[in-house]
Structure formats: structure tokens, C-alpha cells
Amino acid sequence: MSAEPLARQATGRLARLAEERLDHRFKGLPPDADGRTVGELAAQRRNLFAEADGFTTPILALSAERLERNLAMMETYTVRHGLAFAPHGKTSMAPQLFHRQIEHGAWGITLAVPHQVRVARAFGVQRIFLANELVDASALRWIASELAADPDFRFICYVDSVRGVGLMDAALRGAARPVDVVVELAAGEGARTGARTEAECTTVAEAVTAVPTLRLVGVAGYEGEVPQPDPERVRSYLRRLVALAAELDKGGWFGRSEEIVVSAGGSAWFDAVADVFAAVPDLSRPVLKLLRSGAYVSHDDGHYRRLTPFTRVPEEGALEPAFRLWAQVVSRPSTEQAFANAGKRDAAHDLDLPSAQVVRRDGVERPAAGVTVTGLSDQHTWLHTDPEANLEVGDWIGFGLSHPCTSFDKWQLIPVAEADGTVVDYIRTFF
């Protein structure tokens, strides 16, 4: 199949997300929406908080205004700092958000495993950076077929071992196009993946250039794995990454590439990436400085809110937490304890517990003063209540969530709501 029909097919799949029929699979949606399409329900502009509109708790919602603000903020930031942007799509696994990110200037989308690449390709993403070494023979053969079918498809993945190079080469023999790879430099001893030293990286680069199935196009790493990170340790690692690119270029290892990719960037230290990448020296080819921060799209009320570079450099702007999980108080067994009907199945809890932010009763919203989350069961939130809490069975509580990477994966269809609760869209996820 030629590239043009493939593109039309992908565009059709994105449009058909609005044609999906609603049923019991989707948590929190109005029961009377069963049988309607997603598009039909969105057109009704129902309100999350209106009893007649039928949303049930627990329900996760994205703020329409904050989502748009965050998308625009990172577009402005990357342009200001001369960075290409491939946000990590594993955060959301939502093709609608992939395309909104690309519309806001993203070079492409970063992913982690073959299944995620298949989702992105099904919905027409043309540039994919796989932040992992890919040694699965079936997945590599599928990637080769995608590259052969679509000359406009750009795919880059990590490589960090000679053994990995050999496995990739064996799987790709006879492929029409070589697979582009970047050597991953580990963030230090005890860090996650990557070759541990520059000498090992050079050995891997040599192995890549010895096979016709791979093309070395740059270097990459993840500064979020720097042991005991602080600004200087992170910058020191990033300077090593830049120096590695220069050294490999000096050795002629990028001879088959038209540009040199230098890539890093989680969601906690992208200010350091911007600073260090600004000093990338002139190399023999144009340099693609590729940032991969992904959690910004929804941001959060915990992990990244504490670590965001915009907190360290406030003049750059600010991201806003866009998620809120709504649950209902279902038990008030004592003056110091209450339970809401959301739990581990609904709320991110891998780093921090949710935080009670607001309480709604009879259409009036107020701060959740005196309400503290102390634990999560499978389907209950444990709440400690101080005397000023004024909490009753039936109240709705809006919770802030920590770590968006484990928020999206609990919800297949997420309402996008305006500030007054009007739902204007629904985001489909594929985990």
C-alpha cells in the first residue's frame, strides 16, 4: 500500500473514534448514553455535575482550559529554546492528544514498546522515537514493513549493546530501509538502561556501522535516571551526552546520516536539557536537539508539580494540573473518618496518594479543608476528617492526582470538561 492511502486510512481511524458506540466498558459515563456514539454524547455538552445529565462517580476529567494551556506552553518553550519536541506518548496513549501535540509543533511522538508504536502508526503518526532498545524480531520485521510501505515514516530507536545490534541485524536482513538508531549513554552506575561508559558507546557505534540494516544517527539518554539528581549532576550527565555526540562525529560514525540527533528530556529536568543543548557545538551535520518530556500534557498535583522546571525558572511560565478525579462520599462512620468511592482502580497511587482539593454539595464548590487522604483500597479512598471538614454522605470530592503516567492508563474514555463542568470532548486511550 502506498503512503497516501495509508495516511487516509489513519485519518479515518482518528475520525472514527467519535463513532465508537458507548456501553458498559467506559467508567463514569451516563448509563443512558449506552448505544450513542462518542460524538453524539459530546455534542450534547452534558455537565459533569448536573444530576439530570447522568455522570456517575468515580469519574476522571481533564480540564479543557488547562489542557490547551499546557499544550501551548510547551510549544512556546521548545521554540524559544530551539528544541525539536517528541513528547513521550506513553503518558497518555491517546491518539487524539498525539495529534494535538503535533498540531502544537511537536516533531513526533516518543514511545517505549512495540504495542505503543502500533497504536501511533494506526492513527497516522509519521515520526516516532522509541526510547528503548528494540530486539523483538517480530516487532522489528513489522517496523521494516512500515518503513517499506511509507517513505515518509521516520523511526528512531535506542541501541546500547553489541548483542542488541546483532539481534536487530539478524531480524532485519533483507529490509528495504535501514532502521535509524541512537546510542544510549546511561545516566550513571545503577541507572536504568544504556551503555555505561563512552568507550562502550563507541564500541556499540562501531558495531552499528558494520551492518547494513542499521544507520547510526545520534546519541540519547534520560537524565531522570541520574543517581541522586540535582541541577549540577543532571547538567554534568547532559554535558557528557553532548560530548559523546561530538566525539562520535569526530570519529566519522555518523557518515550515513543526514543529521545528528541529540536527545534527552523527561518532565522533571527539561530546563537543564535546554541549557546544555544550547551549547551543542557545530558538528559535521545539522543537529536535531530532541526533547522528549511528556507528562506536561496533563501535568499533575504531586510528583511533577514539585519538580517542574517552571518552578525553578518561573519567568518561563507555568504548567497547570489538568486532571481531577471526582468521587462521592459513601460512608461517614465517625467524626474523624469518611470513605469515598474511588480507589486503586481509579487513581494514580504509585508515587503519592491523591489529594482532596474541593467538595461539592448542592451545586456549591468549596475547598476541601480538613480532609486528608490516608490510604486507598481497591475501590475506596480512606479520608481523615478534622472538625472543620463539614463532610456528608453524598458529597462529591475533587481529588488532585500525582504522576499522570499512571492516571491515563486506568481510564479508556476521559471527559474533557470546561471550568463549569460542561463536557466538550472525550479522550480515548489505548493501553
Side-chain angles (χ1 to χ4, degrees):
M1 187 178 293
S2 68
E4 187 175 344
L6 283 170
R8 286 200 301 269
Q9 188 181 83
T11 301
R13 285 199 185 105
L14 194 65
R16 284 197 296 276
L17 288 176
E19 300 170 8
E20 187 167 12
R21 294 285 170 183
L22 299 170
D23 56 27
H24 59 276
R25 292 171 295 161
F26 304 115
K27 298 191 291 185
L29 299 189
D32 69 354
D34 278 13
R36 289 184 171 88
T37 67
V38 173
E40 289 168 346
L41 184 60
Q44 291 179 347
R45 295 178 64 87
R46 297 196 191 192
N47 192 286
L48 278 178
F49 310 119
E51 185 175 341
D53 285 349
F55 288 94
T56 64
T57 55
I59 181 75
L60 181 69
L62 269 169
S63 163
E65 296 88 352
R66 291 184 170 195
L67 176 61
E68 179 56 34
R69 175 188 173 90
N70 291 344
L71 289 165
M73 181 64 63
M74 284 302 287
E75 178 181 18
T76 300
Y77 183 87
T78 53
V79 170
R80 181 188 302 138
H81 290 280
L83 300 169
F85 191 32
H88 218 313
K90 72 171 178 61
T91 301
S92 70
M93 283 310 297
Q96 293 149 286
L97 295 182
F98 294 170
H99 281 273
R100 288 189 68 176
Q101 289 169 311
I102 291 167
E103 288 165 4
H104 277 273
W107 171 91
I109 298 295
T110 296
L111 297 161
V113 292
H115 155 70
Q116 296 169 357
V117 179
R118 291 190 64 198
V119 171
R121 285 299 290 161
F123 289 93
V125 176
Q126 286 293 87
R127 291 173 177 165
I128 293 173
F129 186 101
L130 185 72
N132 238 337
E133 185 169 68
L134 181 58
V135 294
D136 184 301
S138 296
L140 284 163
R141 286 191 290 268
W142 176 78
I143 291 290
S145 70
E146 290 289 294
L147 290 168
D150 184 355
D152 295 326
F153 176 38
R154 179 86 192 273
F155 176 83
I156 303 171
C157 71
Y158 281 179
V159 64
D160 75 354
S161 65
V162 173
R163 166 73 172 168
V165 170
L167 291 171
M168 295 179 77
D169 178 54
L172 292 168
R173 295 280 172 82
R177 292 169 58 187
V179 168
D180 287 350
V181 297
V182 288
V183 176
E184 184 193 7
L185 174 66
E189 284 300 325
R192 198 163 60 192
T193 56
R196 272 10 190 192
T197 67
E198 285 80 353
E200 290 177 67
C201 288
T202 301
T203 301
V204 173
E206 184 177 9
V208 170
T209 57
V211 299
T213 55
L214 303 176
R215 181 173 67 161
L216 186 67
V217 299
V219 300
Y222 175 46
E223 74 291 342
E225 285 293 317
V226 169
Q228 300 177 314
D230 61 32
E232 183 48 41
R233 284 193 182 96
V234 169
R235 283 173 171 79
S236 177
Y237 163 68
L238 291 167
R239 287 192 288 268
R240 286 180 59 204
L241 188 66
V242 169
L244 174 64
E247 191 63 26
L248 291 178
D249 184 43
K250 183 179 177 181
W253 299 112
F254 302 126
R256 297 166 62 198
S257 180
E258 296 173 359
E259 65 181 1
I260 297 171
V261 178
V262 182
S263 179
S267 295
W269 297 99
F270 57 77
D271 56 331
V273 176
D275 289 348
V276 175
F277 280 15
V280 172
D282 290 337
L283 301 178
S284 66
R285 290 158 176 74
V287 178
L288 183 72
K289 304 173 186 179
L290 193 62
L291 182 71
R292 306 194 307 271
S293 313
Y296 81 99
V297 69
S298 62
H299 201 40
D300 68 12
D301 279 289
H303 181 67
Y304 288 121
R305 192 169 198 176
R306 292 192 299 270
L307 293 173
T308 175
F310 292 130
T311 300
R312 293 188 292 270
V313 193
E315 62 269 25
E316 292 275 19
L319 297 171
E320 296 286 346
F323 269 140
R324 183 162 278 174
L325 175 67
W326 291 96
Q328 200 164 20
V329 177
V330 294
S331 181
R332 188 80 161 96
S334 75
T335 58
E336 295 183 347
Q337 195 173 39
F339 292 87
N341 65 342
K344 294 178 181 177
R345 309 300 184 208
D346 314 298
H349 58 89
D350 58 320
L351 296 180
D352 298 299
L353 291 172
S355 57
Q357 295 181 329
V358 295
V359 176
R360 287 187 66 92
R361 183 189 302 164
D362 300 327
V364 177
E365 190 171 297
R366 57 180 169 80
V371 181
T372 305
V373 177
T374 59
L376 292 175
S377 298
D378 284 351
Q379 216 62 67
H380 289 95
T381 303
W382 294 61
L383 303 170
H384 174 80
T385 54
D386 293 334
E388 71 269 27
N390 184 22
L391 205 61
E392 295 181 358
V393 169
D395 289 348
W396 281 41
I397 302 181
F399 294 95
L401 301 176
S402 176
H403 204 194
C405 299
T406 52
S407 296
F408 280 100
D409 65 356
K410 299 178 187 302
W411 296 83
Q412 289 184 295
L413 196 64
I414 304 171
V416 179
E418 294 178 339
D420 67 354
T422 300
V423 177
V424 295
D425 199 2
Y426 294 84
I427 299 296
R428 185 69 157 91
T429 65
F430 293 84
F431 281 93

